[in-house]
Structure formats: structure tokens, C-alpha cells
Amino acid sequence: MKKRILIIGSLNMDMIIEMKRMPAIGETVLGDNLSYIPGGKGANQAYAAGRLGGDVAMLGCVGDDNMGEKLVCNIAGSGADASFIMKTENIPTGTAVIYVNEKGDNSIVVISGANNACNVEYLKQNDNLIQESDYVMVQMEIPLETIMYGIRRAKELNKTVILNPAPAPNPKTLPEDIFENIDYITPNETELIMLSGQTKISPENIREGARILLEKGVPNVLVTLGEKGTLYISRQMEALYPARKVEAVDTTAAGDCFNGAFVTALSEGKSVKEAVIFANCASSIAVTRKGAQSSIPDRKEVEDILKHWQQ
């Protein structure tokens, strides 16, 4: 029997600008294309979980505008429960401007907008959702106070808590005890290095950074390494689960797809290894397509590839 998932996080309308290369500071370049695609880390993860068959609901805020309406409808269309998403007056829906070069690499600027209205009081008003959920996943695009409250409240209720620390927070802003309330943390290389107080990305520093988070109290660290796969480190073991080799077109939301797929697999009773392989497969499909939610595969696509993919 599937367990229930609650995702607390951001909803943004992504403005995607495609270009041959990123501009240097002070430089003007011509873009090739502009498109509007539903995004936001929380929304992407909820959408992914819904598309992949998870029993998932989302808490987050949008503006009372056309973009907000489109975002809510898109989440609902994935199969996720979007009925508790709040529409705010006089605050526009969050926006992300995403620059994508011809190699598929991206740079992102986020304007929070209505995401700042996702406050502690809103979570308290929807405490029944936390109570009814088995897994609670959060990211870092809503107010820090809300994130900390959500993590502590979920752990108080003995829920499995997953933190995707993106965008990477300043570790000095995080209460030391918060790590003890997290069951799984899922940074990428850059986020891990920042969280663990290091300055250089290297295989040795990545492993050291993961161990630092273990010492802080997180029992399970999953570091997404792009085309290298996912490094899993716990107090009992260490394993590198390889990525499926593909030609990336756009890496936007690849991490969000991974997280949504990972929590969905866990909610179905899969082991960490099985959940990571499932999530790696889902994200490998996402990077071959453009956009955030528009790139996320459905369950059949992932299962069809898993039948033939040799890890």
C-alpha cells in the first residue's frame, strides 16, 4: 500500500531563455527563444511525484493571477492534490528566469513573490495534512522560518522528513539541531560543499562533506552528481549508483525530478537502493527534454527503461 506524501515548497512560473552561451558580466547576447513553463522546486517535485504515481499533496502559495491559476491547474493535472495551495491577494506569483545554453547548462534567478506568503501560520492551518502524511519533503525557496517549522512539526509527528537543500542555504542560518530532525538530505555537489563549510569540489571533499552532515545528525545523505550518478552515504554504508548515459538537452528540474521520484519510490516500500535507481532513471529522461515540469516523465516511461537499463 502506498504511503502519503506531503511536499511543502515553492511554485514559480519559469521564463526560459535559450541562448548559445551565457553572457559574461556586462555583456549583451542575443537569445534564441523565450518560453513560459510551470516550475518552482516544490511544484516540480509535487508534479513529478504525481506523474510517477505517488499519493501526494502540496502546500504552497501563488498569486491571484493568471500565472498562479496555470500553476495550480498543472499540479492538479499531474495527479497531485493541489486543493490546499493558497492564492494570495496583491502579491504576484513567483517567477524564475532561467538561462539555458546550447550544452543544456543553466543559470537561474528566482523572484519569490507569493512564495513569501508560505508562512508558519499557513502550515498550522493545514496541520491535518502533515498529520495524515507519512513522508514530508521541503526545499529552500520559501521562508526559512516556515521550513524549520515544517521539519520540526513533521518529525514531532514521527514522519519521514526529506530536505532538498536547494538553493543552498548559508549554513550559519540553520539551527544545529535541525539536522537531527531530517531523515534524508539530498544536496547536489555545490550545495553539499556549501552546507559542510568547504570551499572546493572534489571527490574527497564530497565524501567528507557527507560525513560532516552525518555527524550533525542526518542519518542518510544522497548527493546528486549529475552524469556521475548519486552518492549515498549513511552510517552503515557508502554506494555510488550510476546515472544512465544520455545526451542532456536541459538540466532544469533534473534534481526536482530525482527528489519527486525518490520519495515516490520510498512511499511504495522500495529500498533506498531501489528508490535511487528509480530516481536516477526518471531524471535521466528529464534532462533530454526542455523545461521544468514539461520535462518530467510518467511512470510507464520510467518502468519501460528500467526493464532494459543495466546498472
Side-chain angles (χ1 to χ4, degrees):
M1 180 178 177
K2 287 188 292 188
K3 295 184 177 181
R4 299 199 67 183
I5 303 164
L6 174 63
I7 294 179
I8 304 169
S10 59
L11 300 98
N12 293 318
M13 182 60 74
D14 291 349
M15 298 173 56
I16 300 176
I17 302 171
E18 298 173 49
M19 58 187 67
K20 289 182 174 57
R21 62 179 180 83
M22 302 295 184
I25 294 175
E27 180 185 20
T28 299
V29 299
L30 295 177
D32 297 325
N33 189 43
L34 170 65
S35 53
Y36 293 82
I37 297 178
K41 289 188 177 298
N44 293 343
Q45 292 172 18
Y47 184 89
R51 285 269 285 173
L52 294 167
D55 181 2
V56 57
M58 182 176 181
L59 288 177
C61 300
V62 296
D64 188 11
D65 49 37
N66 289 336
M67 288 198 299
E69 181 65 25
K70 184 174 181 179
L71 293 177
V72 173
C73 289
N74 213 58
I75 295 293
S78 75
D81 184 352
S83 62
F84 296 91
I85 295 173
M86 182 171 70
K87 294 183 178 179
T88 62
E89 295 182 0
N90 304 318
I91 307 176
T93 295
T95 306
V97 181
I98 303 173
Y99 304 92
V100 183
N101 68 17
E102 61 184 0
K103 296 180 181 179
D105 299 319
N106 65 59
S107 296
I108 304 173
V109 179
V110 175
I111 302 169
S112 296
N115 290 306
N116 286 329
C118 186
N119 55 30
V120 172
E121 184 58 33
Y122 168 64
L123 293 196
K124 289 181 177 179
Q125 291 169 1
N126 292 281
D127 191 67
N128 62 305
L129 279 186
I130 304 177
Q131 294 180 41
E132 294 167 2
S133 299
D134 300 285
Y135 292 84
V136 176
M137 176 177 279
V138 294
Q139 324 75 34
M140 304 297 300
E141 287 185 333
I142 57 175
L144 182 63
E145 180 186 17
T146 308
I147 297 165
M148 297 301 103
Y149 174 82
I151 289 172
R152 288 191 174 105
R153 177 58 178 155
K155 184 47 60 178
E156 179 183 327
L157 294 169
N158 295 315
K159 310 305 179 183
T160 299
V161 178
I162 303 172
L163 172 64
N164 175 223
N170 181 337
K172 295 180 181 179
T173 66
L174 299 178
E176 280 296 316
D177 72 295
I178 204 65
F179 293 98
E180 299 172 0
N181 292 282
I182 298 166
D183 295 285
Y184 296 88
I185 193 166
T186 61
N188 63 22
E189 296 165 288
T190 303
E191 293 153 1
L192 175 71
I193 293 301
M194 291 185 65
L195 273 176
S196 58
Q198 301 182 86
T199 58
K200 180 183 176 183
I201 296 177
S202 70
E204 296 77 17
N205 284 358
I206 289 171
R207 285 177 170 78
E208 177 60 23
R211 294 187 188 102
I212 287 172
L213 297 186
L214 291 178
E215 291 171 3
K216 288 178 178 288
V218 184
N220 300 280
V221 181
L222 292 93
V223 188
T224 53
L225 304 171
E227 62 183 15
K228 300 187 208 69
T230 301
L231 177 66
Y232 171 62
I233 297 183
S234 70
R235 296 186 183 94
Q236 292 77 38
M237 66 171 289
E238 175 181 324
L240 177 63
Y241 299 108
R244 174 172 160 261
K245 296 187 183 303
V246 296
E247 185 172 340
V249 172
D250 181 359
T251 58
T252 304
D256 297 331
C257 181
F258 175 93
N259 279 276
F262 177 70
V263 70
T264 297
L266 287 183
S267 74
E268 295 172 352
K270 289 182 170 59
S271 67
V272 172
K273 177 181 178 179
E274 291 169 328
V276 172
I277 290 171
F278 181 80
N280 278 349
C281 184
S283 60
S284 78
I285 300 171
V287 299
T288 65
R289 302 168 178 171
K290 294 180 180 180
Q293 290 168 34
S294 58
S295 72
I296 292 170
D298 62 25
R299 183 64 176 248
K300 184 177 185 303
E301 290 178 277
V302 177
E303 291 185 340
D304 285 348
I305 288 176
L306 279 174
K307 291 175 185 176
H308 307 290
W309 178 34
Q310 299 296 317
Q311 292 85 41

